[in-house]
Every structure is written in C-alpha cells, then in structure tokens.
Amino acid sequence: MPRKKPPPRIVARRSRDNPNRRLSAGVPAIAARTELAERVRYGAYSKHKYNPTAYKLAPYAGRDAERTYCDEHAKFGKNDSDRIPLLLKRGVMLGLWSDCQDEDLPPLLWTIDESGWIFELRVTNADQSQFHGYPVLPGDAFARHVLIRAREVAFATNEFPLDQDPNVQAAIAAAEAFYR
C-alpha cells in the first residue's frame, strides 16, 4: 500500500514580516503621547505565557509558529505584573508606536524594561485600549529601530518627563547592551 502524502503545512506569517511593524514616521507630539499614555491598558494573553494556568488563563489552543513567552524567554513573571502600567506609559511617552490605521489607537506599541528586554504589544481590545505583549527576541533586527527612537526621545531636552520615569535612560542602556 503506498504511503499518503501529508497535508501541506500551514506556515503562520511571522511578526517580523508584518508590514505594520514600523514605528510612526515621526515622534508624536507630547500632547498625543500623554493622551495615549492615560488610555492604554494591559490584558494578559495565554499565547505568550509558557505556563498560562499560573496566571489563571486557559492554555492557548491556536496555531502559531513564532511564539515568545514573557515568563520563559524574558523571565517576566507574575511578580513583575505591577510594573506593567509604568512600562506601557514608558513606551508611549517614548513615542514607540506604529502609525494609527483607521482608529486613533496604534495597532502596535513597544516598550523597554530595565532588564534590557524590549516588549512588543498588540491591540487585544481596541474599544478598551487594551494591549497584550511579548518579548522581542535578541536576534530581531527591529530592536535597533526601537532603540534609535527611544534614545532620540529620552535624551532630548523637554521630550521625556524624566521626573515621572527616572529609570528610562538606564533601561535604554541595558537594552542597547542586550540587543547588541
């Protein structure tokens, strides 16, 4: 009996091939950054948790060839959850978001942790301005674009409120060493 050929493999489009994965053309105005920073929220998503049940999430059942895990790759665990609002605000205030499409909410945001990890965040629920995030792996060339924009904003006079986030420059320096 001849062997059957298996069905063709479905290859998920990798996020680094995503045409929307670009920073906005210019640094958004401080007023726009401040307004967005007040609105953005985080919602955990099991797709990017190595152990989703530890977060009281159902295991992810979908297919995806490229998954990165906050708790496994970046070692960003449940105890780090209280830092998420600051990280969201940091990324927004650094102007690390993609161009807005049809809505006033960008589909992608990025932020930089003091550990040196860059996190990419995608819209989970646009009506609630909710995002979920995952680490950008060290071999990802897009990290360079995030770091260039972050340095441009964080080290410019009157572009970033250092009194609200005194660790931002140290986080950028740690990321520059990490993504070298």
Side-chain angles (χ1 to χ4, degrees):
M1 176 186 244
R3 294 186 350 188
K4 283 183 151 183
K5 184 176 180 180
R9 191 175 92 170
I10 296 173
V11 178
R13 186 177 177 135
R14 297 178 65 86
S15 66
R16 63 179 141 234
D17 296 334
N18 183 344
N20 295 331
R21 195 173 189 233
R22 281 192 300 250
L23 288 166
S24 58
V27 177
I30 291 177
R33 289 184 270 155
T34 303
E35 188 274 327
L36 183 59
E38 296 300 320
R39 287 191 299 142
V40 294
R41 304 286 175 260
Y42 172 78
Y45 190 42
S46 63
K47 180 178 180 179
H48 300 289
K49 304 289 184 243
Y50 187 75
N51 186 8
T53 55
Y55 297 84
K56 297 184 174 129
L57 298 170
Y60 180 69
R63 286 190 245 183
D64 193 4
E66 182 186 71
R67 285 171 55 184
T68 58
Y69 303 107
C70 296
D71 51 347
E72 181 63 21
H73 291 110
K75 305 298 182 208
F76 194 94
K78 285 176 24 176
N79 297 337
D80 297 306
S81 296
D82 59 332
R83 296 185 310 121
I84 293 174
L86 173 69
L87 292 173
L88 274 172
K89 185 173 184 176
R90 176 182 290 165
V92 171
M93 293 307 292
L94 287 170
L96 301 176
W97 73 65
S98 61
D99 282 324
C100 298
Q101 311 268 314
D102 300 328
E103 304 146 13
D104 63 342
L105 193 66
L108 295 168
L109 297 173
W110 293 270
T111 193
I112 303 169
D113 188 31
E114 284 88 350
S115 65
W117 280 95
I118 294 173
F119 290 91
E120 183 169 290
L121 298 109
R122 290 184 182 271
V123 171
T124 304
N125 184 329
D127 292 336
Q128 296 178 9
S129 301
Q130 187 181 62
F131 288 79
H132 72 276
Y134 43 89
V136 173
L137 295 177
D140 193 333
F142 188 75
R144 182 175 56 95
H145 298 288
V146 172
L147 291 170
I148 290 170
R149 168 71 59 85
R151 181 167 275 286
E152 175 187 344
V153 174
F155 290 86
T157 306
N158 299 326
E159 279 295 317
F160 190 87
L162 285 175
D163 59 319
Q164 294 178 20
D165 189 355
N167 297 326
V168 67
Q169 293 178 351
I172 293 167
E176 287 173 335
F178 187 73
Y179 288 93
R180 193 171 285 174

